[in-house]
Amino acid sequence: MRLHNYTLLYLSVALFFIIGVWASIFYFQMLDEVYDSIDDNLQNYKILIIKKAKTDSTILQKVTFDESNYSIKKLPSIAASKTKDIYKDTLMYMENEDDLEAVRLLKTVFTINHTDYYELNILSSMVEEDDLIEDLFYSLIWLYAILLVSIFLVNTFLLRKIWKPFYDLLNQLENFNLSSSNFQPLKTNVHEFKLLNNSVSDLLKKNIELYTSQKQFIENASHELQTPLAISINKLELLAEKNELTETDLYMVASVIENLQRLTRLNKSLLLLSKIENKQFSDEETVSVNEIVNRLAEDFSDLASFKNISIEVVQHAELSVKMNKDLADVLLGNLIKNAVVHNSSNGYVKIILEQDSVLIENSGDQTLDAQHIFKRFYKNAAEKNTTGLGLAIVKTVADKYGFEITYSYNDKHCFRIGF
Amino acid sequence: MKILVIEDEASMQEIIKETLEKEKYLVESATTYDSALDKIISFDYDCILLDITLPDGSGLDILFELKKLDKTSNVIIISAKNSIDDKVAGLNLGADDYLIKPFHIAELTARVKSILRRKTLGGKNELVINNVKVLFDDRIAFVNKEALALNRKEFDVLAYFMVNKNRLVNKTSLAEHVWGDFTDESDDFEFIYSQIKNLRKKLKDHHAEIEIQAVYGIGYKLIAL
């Protein structure tokens, strides 16, 4: 959920309750005021009628409401003395509405000359409560809707305006790339954003430093390993030459050499990876992919024929790419080597050159995990002799030049490089 | 034949020295920039092995000094850095070859011998063992003046063994030398065996007085019969 809608959701729930509570308080207060006003009016009317009755005794005969809004009834003196003013709500038939409507009734008792007691009933039309509630309800619904719409609009505007630095930052972080470190600090006067900006800046700086030093470390470590590796292998080679060793000794020496050579290969691959990442293959030229593929196919022909694997190069087009020549060799060489080495017996390798892509297909029994094959040190448990870095190197080279590399399996392994 | 090894790593220097002395060369060594400079100014060498990184200076500077003395044609640079810049700089300064650590001693022997052959035989770049002769520039091998029908890789294998006569040639070293870097992970180099089998058969058919022997688990050795 976007920040925008999130705020709106909370505000709409809060407003719903606030307006609800406010509406009930408002309703009762208003009703109270209305009653107060009506009752005052009735009181005033009462005084006027009593005054009139003292001078004009004809109105004392008015026992029903009829067209006017009061009635007078003579009372026996005993009962009347205790009666006080009573206001009450009651219903009365209204001609115009053809229905019973709420009215306010004042029942009071007055006396003339302290001998005759009369009961006076005065009516006043009332607020129709159900209508009032209905009106109030609709007004409030409107208020609520308009409030939400205005909050939405204001919020949109504010988010765009005030939160711009925030979204800019977010956008930058989304596109941030450790190796190209393209972070631009924000320009903002808001304290919190400044803080965020500084924190993010610091964090990224530390990360970039860490990344760079780690890359540098791998390169340096690999370099430093070369000499001791060379010494160990060469000393063992000299030892093996000495003709003093038994066959068992030789076998052990051979096994140590073999392992040291694996270590050397691993080290070389790591070095190559960090060199590519450290941008040490900067010189580019237009290289002919056809030429490289044909040469590589020839290079691998001995190995392939030993394994009874056929290599076929299908050239649908002449393909040239602007890139580093050595890396072009590494990219295609690793893929073709993979196709030859990880093949089924009596299998085939087919290299298809298209206008803007190279397809390298080879026979194989089961699909590889497309998610992980390009990760470093990913390898099949059964293959002890691979470094698990070949495809990682391929991917690194492809990424460096923005080539698209994909793997698919359809009864055969298929790697495609889109240039 | 006098060879100078400029290398600061004592063990490395020992190995190079031992390897080359087995080929009956006279090997001298220098471990620092200054001592190296002393030696190249005072003496002439048939071949100089030069480590690029020295404790008190750069091997490239020594190369520069050698260029001033007009003595660069027989230099092999040895470096732990597989750096194209260094390689280009070194070769531009007149170095003859560039060898990256770690290397195999057979490879080192082959490179040194290649330089010495070119230097001493006056263009006649060839090697003879008993009745077998290899012409490196023409890429032809003869047994008793009769040309052997070898394919490209078989010739490379034979030439590599000839250069490393009586020396143990590691199969990785052979694979790297003949088939290049890409062969490294390929099934313990079993395929090399089939190539050597073919080569052995051709040599035997021509009654060559050399033999390629298998050394258990490690590789092969060419011996003169």
Side-chain angles (χ1 to χ4, degrees), chain A residues 223 226 230-231 234-235 237 240-241 243 247 254 257 261 264-265 275 300 302 306-307 326 337 385, chain B residues 12 22 80-82 101-105 153 167-168 170 172 179 182 184 187-188 191 195 217-218:
Chain A
H223 265 146
Q226 301 285 67
I231 291 168
N234 294 348
K235 286 217 162 179
E237 281 177 336
E241 258 187 4
N243 282 337
E247 202 163 85
I257 290 180
Q261 266 156 0
T264 307
R265 285 203 295 271
K275 275 184 166 176
F300 285 109
D302 287 333
F306 170 74
K307 295 186 70 159
D326 294 316
K337 177 172 72 183
N385 266 326
Chain B
M12 199 72 225
K22 278 191 180 172
K81 267 197 205 165
N82 187 2
K101 286 183 202 168
F103 48 77
H104 295 277
I105 52 177
K153 297 293 159 66
R167 302 293 299 267
L168 176 61
N170 189 318
T172 317
W179 285 275
F182 292 125
D184 50 12
D187 295 336
D188 295 329
F191 80 100
Q195 297 278 327
I218 295 188

Side-chain angles (χ1 to χ4, degrees), chain B:
Chain B
M1 291 283 177
K2 223 162 73 170
I3 298 172
L4 176 65
V5 180
I6 305 170
E7 162 72 63
D8 59 316
E9 194 84 33
S11 300
M12 199 72 225
Q13 198 191 78
E14 224 172 86
I15 289 161
I16 296 173
K17 214 171 160 192
E18 193 178 334
T19 305
L20 296 176
E21 276 169 351
K22 278 191 180 172
E23 302 292 330
K24 312 277 183 259
Y25 297 131
L26 188 64
V27 184
E28 288 188 13
S29 51
T31 47
T32 60
Y33 177 83
D34 290 334
S35 62
L37 215 55
D38 272 356
K39 288 209 157 139
I40 58 166
I41 291 169
S42 316
F43 308 102
D44 275 333
Y45 294 96
D46 298 297
C47 179
I48 297 171
L49 297 172
L50 175 62
D51 187 2
I52 285 277
T53 44
L54 294 171
D56 55 344
S58 162
L60 288 176
D61 290 335
I62 291 187
L63 206 56
F64 192 70
E65 293 296 327
L66 282 165
K67 194 180 167 74
K68 279 200 275 184
L69 297 165
D70 202 17
K71 286 180 180 176
T72 50
S73 63
N74 47 3
V75 175
I76 299 175
I77 293 173
I78 302 170
S79 175
K81 267 197 205 165
N82 187 2
S83 151
I84 294 156
D85 290 343
D86 276 1
K87 192 169 178 171
V88 169
L91 297 181
N92 277 344
L93 278 169
D96 201 87
D97 212 343
Y98 190 94
L99 199 55
I100 297 150
K101 286 183 202 168
F103 48 77
H104 295 277
I105 52 177
E107 186 66 40
L108 174 73
T109 314
R111 304 273 184 117
V112 170
K113 283 194 174 173
S114 159
I115 283 196
L116 294 177
R117 270 199 316 272
R118 264 176 278 163
K119 188 180 159 64
T120 52
L121 291 169
K124 244 175 95 192
N125 197 357
E126 61 175 45
L127 186 61
V128 181
I129 299 173
N130 288 349
N131 61 350
V132 182
K133 182 158 86 175
V134 172
L135 300 181
F136 291 95
D137 294 337
D138 302 329
R139 301 181 58 81
I140 308 172
F142 293 95
V143 179
N144 292 326
K145 302 211 159 69
E146 192 183 334
L148 275 172
L150 300 176
N151 67 30
R152 198 158 61 90
K153 297 293 159 66
E154 283 167 351
F155 175 84
D156 287 337
V157 173
L158 177 64
Y160 197 54
F161 279 131
M162 292 276 285
V163 169
N164 282 292
K165 186 183 103 179
N166 289 330
R167 302 293 299 267
L168 176 61
V169 175
N170 189 318
K171 53 191 173 180
T172 317
S173 161
L174 179 67
E176 281 177 13
H177 181 84
V178 178
W179 285 275
D181 266 350
F182 292 125
T183 44
D184 50 12
E185 288 161 23
S186 39
D187 295 336
D188 295 329
F189 309 109
E190 280 173 46
F191 80 100
I192 291 176
Y193 178 72
S194 67
Q195 297 278 327
I196 288 179
K197 213 167 84 180
N198 291 338
L199 182 59
R200 273 179 180 156
K201 191 171 178 300
K202 286 177 187 175
L203 288 171
K204 204 174 172 193
D205 290 349
H206 285 80
H207 308 290
E209 287 160 357
I210 56 172
E211 192 184 83
I212 299 168
Q213 294 181 335
V215 179
Y216 185 67
I218 295 188
Y220 302 91
K221 185 190 270 188
L222 181 137
I223 53 161
L225 294 172

Side-chain angles (χ1 to χ4, degrees), chain A residues 287-331:
Chain A
V287 294
S288 160
V289 177
N290 299 60
E291 218 176 281
I292 294 177
V293 166
N294 283 321
R295 178 167 46 76
L296 287 169
E298 167 65 25
D299 284 350
F300 285 109
S301 60
D302 287 333
L303 176 60
S305 64
F306 170 74
K307 295 186 70 159
N308 243 335
I309 291 164
S310 66
I311 301 185
E312 186 191 356
V313 181
V314 184
Q315 303 180 68
H316 288 312
E318 283 293 322
L319 181 56
S320 290
V321 187
K322 194 167 159 46
M323 68 184 294
N324 182 283
K325 200 169 182 311
D326 294 316
L327 289 187
D329 258 17
V330 167
L331 177 70

Side-chain angles (χ1 to χ4, degrees), chain A residues 64 160 185 229 293 346 390:
Chain A
T64 57
R160 198 169 295 159
L229 274 172
V293 166
N346 302 322

Side-chain angles (χ1 to χ4, degrees), chain A residues 98-369:
Chain A
D98 188 21
D99 197 6
L100 291 170
E101 290 290 332
V103 286
R104 188 76 169 162
L105 180 77
L106 169 59
K107 195 188 276 276
T108 186
V109 172
F110 69 94
T111 176
I112 292 178
N113 304 328
H114 297 284
T115 52
D116 298 327
Y117 289 91
Y118 298 93
E119 184 192 82
L120 173 64
N121 285 300
I122 310 170
L123 281 176
S124 174
S125 76
M126 265 282 296
V127 181
E128 293 170 37
E129 275 183 55
D130 50 349
D131 286 355
L132 181 71
I133 288 175
E134 199 179 304
D135 283 354
L136 195 65
F137 178 74
Y138 282 117
S139 308
L140 288 177
I141 291 279
W142 274 110
L143 176 70
Y144 184 63
I146 289 169
L147 266 176
L148 284 191
V149 170
S150 12
I151 287 169
F152 178 83
L153 291 175
V154 171
N155 218 359
T156 311
F157 174 75
L158 279 183
L159 276 174
R160 198 169 295 159
K161 190 88 183 160
I162 297 173
W163 288 81
K164 187 174 180 299
F166 176 77
Y167 283 104
D168 282 354
L169 183 71
L170 218 59
N171 197 28
Q172 280 211 56
L173 286 180
E174 231 168 31
N175 297 322
F176 184 74
N177 184 343
L178 262 180
S179 51
S180 61
S181 53
N182 44 1
F183 182 71
Q184 292 283 325
L186 306 172
K187 288 188 193 82
T188 174
N189 292 319
V190 183
H191 175 71
E192 280 81 359
F193 287 154
K194 270 187 186 164
L195 217 62
L196 181 68
N197 197 13
N198 290 343
S199 313
V200 168
S201 264
D202 285 351
L203 195 68
L204 291 183
K205 219 169 99 186
K206 273 181 205 146
N207 265 299
I208 292 165
E209 273 169 18
L210 206 68
Y211 178 70
T212 320
S213 73
Q214 193 200 333
K215 279 198 305 184
Q216 204 55 53
F217 174 78
I218 294 175
E219 196 181 330
N220 290 344
S222 302
H223 265 146
E224 292 305 317
L225 280 172
Q226 301 285 67
T227 305
L229 274 172
I231 291 168
S232 311
I233 293 175
N234 294 348
K235 286 217 162 179
L236 286 168
E237 281 177 336
L238 286 172
L239 175 68
E241 258 187 4
K242 274 192 173 141
N243 282 337
E244 291 165 3
L245 301 178
T246 65
E247 202 163 85
T248 338
D249 292 341
L250 261 182
Y251 183 76
M252 281 183 77
V253 171
S255 148
V256 176
I257 290 180
E258 209 168 276
N259 279 295
L260 285 172
Q261 266 156 0
R262 266 175 73 187
L263 195 56
T264 307
R265 285 203 295 271
L266 193 65
N267 199 40
K268 272 189 189 165
S269 299
L270 277 175
L271 194 53
L272 179 63
L273 265 176
S274 41
K275 275 184 166 176
I276 299 168
E277 283 177 349
N278 290 342
K279 303 191 174 59
Q280 291 184 21
F281 292 90
S282 47
D283 46 327
E284 293 177 10
E285 60 192 286
T286 307
V287 294
S288 160
V289 177
N290 299 60
E291 218 176 281
I292 294 177
V293 166
N294 283 321
R295 178 167 46 76
L296 287 169
E298 167 65 25
D299 284 350
F300 285 109
S301 60
D302 287 333
L303 176 60
S305 64
F306 170 74
K307 295 186 70 159
N308 243 335
I309 291 164
S310 66
I311 301 185
E312 186 191 356
V313 181
V314 184
Q315 303 180 68
H316 288 312
E318 283 293 322
L319 181 56
S320 290
V321 187
K322 194 167 159 46
M323 68 184 294
N324 182 283
K325 200 169 182 311
D326 294 316
L327 289 187
D329 258 17
V330 167
L331 177 70
L332 293 160
N334 272 328
L335 284 174
I336 295 172
K337 177 172 72 183
N338 246 10
V340 174
V341 174
H342 307 297
N343 212 318
S344 45
S345 48
N346 302 322
Y348 67 91
V349 175
K350 193 170 174 186
I351 306 159
I352 305 162
L353 292 146
E354 303 280 4
Q355 197 64 50
D356 56 355
S357 66
V358 175
L359 275 146
I360 296 166
E361 299 177 349
N362 70 280
S363 45
D365 305 330
Q366 57 189 39
T367 178
L368 299 169
D369 183 354

